[in-house]
Amino acid sequence: MTTVGVPSGELYAAQVASGAPDVVAASTLVPSARVVRALLPVAGALLGVPALRRLAVSWLARVEGEARPRPREHTWGHAVLTWSDGTVREGWLRAGDAMDFTAAVAARAAERLLRGEAAPGAWTPTAALGPELAVEAGATLIPGSRERSIDSRE
């Protein structure tokens, strides 16, 4: 499966929650073809023109999508953590439909916030309520199969 690095809310949330100086996020939902990636900055600049932006919004509002079966049973999240000493750990998050999972996380976070389970302030859901929030919302956390050093031979 082809992925491409993208800026995202999840990227920012992971960096804030972890305190890591560098975080990289990738997605299969962003076009990864070189031609498309080359044209995206041009398209972004063109959409900065209000008349062109309104035209694009009008065109997109008329697009009708087809109902399709889910391409796979699970949605996956993958994290690889690399420390300055070369230690690497990884883990996976497996959930059902991504949109359903996102809504479940928001609902569980709201319930727990109403019960006063988080400190005051601006936090990401995981930073405020811990990784068990994902499990409460229906995900399975799967630790990586190994802990290794970048310098070690595998």
Side-chain angles (χ1 to χ4, degrees), residues 48-129:
V49 177
L52 292 176
R53 184 174 49 247
R54 284 191 300 274
L55 181 64
V57 168
S58 172
W59 177 74
L60 284 172
R62 292 190 302 271
V63 172
E64 293 186 24
E66 294 179 17
R68 293 186 181 148
R70 287 176 54 182
R72 62 192 72 70
E73 183 178 349
H74 297 100
T75 297
W76 292 92
H78 182 223
V80 178
L81 310 169
T82 306
W83 279 266
S84 59
D85 69 357
T87 301
V88 177
R89 294 200 57 202
E90 66 180 310
W92 293 84
L93 178 143
R94 181 182 67 209
D97 180 79
M99 297 294 235
D100 292 344
F101 175 69
T102 299
V105 167
R108 296 295 185 276
E111 290 171 353
R112 291 183 59 189
L113 289 172
L114 286 171
R115 291 193 300 260
E117 296 182 24
W123 308 96
T124 64
T126 300
L129 301 165

Side-chain angles (χ1 to χ4, degrees), residues 2 30 35-36 60 62 67 81 96 100-101 105 125 128 144 148-149 151:
T2 302
V30 176
V35 172
V36 174
L60 284 172
R62 292 190 302 271
L81 310 169
D100 292 344
F101 175 69
V105 167
R148 60 185 162 83
S149 170
D151 298 327

